[in-house]
Amino acid sequence: MRTASTHQPNTERTEHEPLTPSATRPDPLRSLGEVPWQVIKDSSGSATAVPRLLNKIAWGNRDTAEAAVGELRDLICQFGFVVHQATAAVVPYLWDLALLPHVKVRPQLIRLLAAVAVARQWETTAVAYPKLLNHRENHVVWERAARQAVRARRDQVRALLTDKDPEVMAAASELAQRIGQ
């Protein structure tokens, strides 16, 4: 007589399994493929790791998302004040993720936006070393573009200031101060 298998399928997510949105959640990352990540630069060189990190932030559990935010911060806002070419391209995704209640690390994302909003490392350096402005890769332009990308969606800070999560509200208050909202 045959018996039914007692094998239980593994429901744990492996490190290599892609993180994807469920049918009930919006996909804030649907346009990631339209950004030329392999061409633009982050602190490590080519920004090809950015989409993977954003996916982990969007769909991962708290530990996964926290680790991904830390890695992303090192790539786009190194030391909390040095932005790179990829930063401006990442900012809209940070805004989108910060507004979604299911994202586990919204306060960290809002604080990252606040750091980008006031980053002036390259501008400050260019005052002392004007030749920096003559480089093919103009870091000052990247920095200004990143700050502008944060400010372009500053109207969304209002929604964060009235969020149910007190940590989100506190981070949003800091962001509002930094962008003059």
Side-chain angles (χ1 to χ4, degrees):
M1 180 167 144
R2 291 179 114 166
T3 60
S5 170
T6 59
H7 173 72
Q8 295 292 318
N10 183 358
T11 58
E12 283 187 308
R13 186 181 308 277
T14 65
E15 186 62 34
H16 303 291
E17 186 178 345
L19 300 166
T20 57
S22 73
T24 60
R25 297 186 210 161
D27 184 5
L29 307 177
R30 67 186 156 278
S31 63
L32 274 178
E34 298 170 17
V35 180
W37 301 108
Q38 67 281 4
V39 176
I40 60 177
K41 295 187 174 165
D42 60 27
S43 68
S44 70
S46 175
T48 56
V50 169
R52 175 183 54 82
L53 294 172
L54 288 171
N55 270 295
K56 285 183 174 187
I57 291 166
W59 314 115
N61 63 32
R62 182 170 302 282
D63 290 341
T64 299
E66 285 177 355
V69 169
E71 285 183 58
L72 185 65
R73 183 184 315 107
D74 290 344
L75 294 176
I76 66 161
C77 192
Q78 198 173 25
F79 312 118
F81 58 87
V82 181
V83 301
H84 298 276
Q85 183 182 24
T87 307
V90 174
V91 165
Y93 298 106
L94 297 179
W95 273 112
D96 289 345
L97 293 172
L99 291 163
L100 292 175
H102 80 269
V103 174
K104 311 283 190 269
V105 291
R106 295 185 315 136
Q108 294 92 321
L109 297 176
I110 297 165
R111 286 187 199 101
L112 181 53
L113 286 167
V116 171
V118 296
R120 284 187 160 43
Q121 177 65 26
W122 296 115
E123 250 179 21
T124 303
T125 303
V127 169
Y129 301 101
K131 287 185 180 184
L132 181 64
L133 298 173
N134 298 329
H135 283 237
R136 181 176 55 88
E137 296 175 342
N138 193 329
H139 296 76
V140 174
V141 169
W142 298 346
E143 191 173 69
R144 288 178 183 160
R147 287 195 315 263
Q148 178 56 38
V150 173
R151 284 177 173 75
R153 293 186 49 189
R154 67 179 163 258
D155 59 319
Q156 294 179 329
V157 83
R158 278 183 251 130
L160 297 170
L161 287 167
T162 59
D163 196 272
K164 293 177 183 177
D165 184 337
E167 286 186 61
V168 169
M169 290 187 335
S173 178
E174 177 185 335
L175 175 59
Q177 289 174 355
R178 291 192 177 185
I179 61 175
Q181 190 70 13

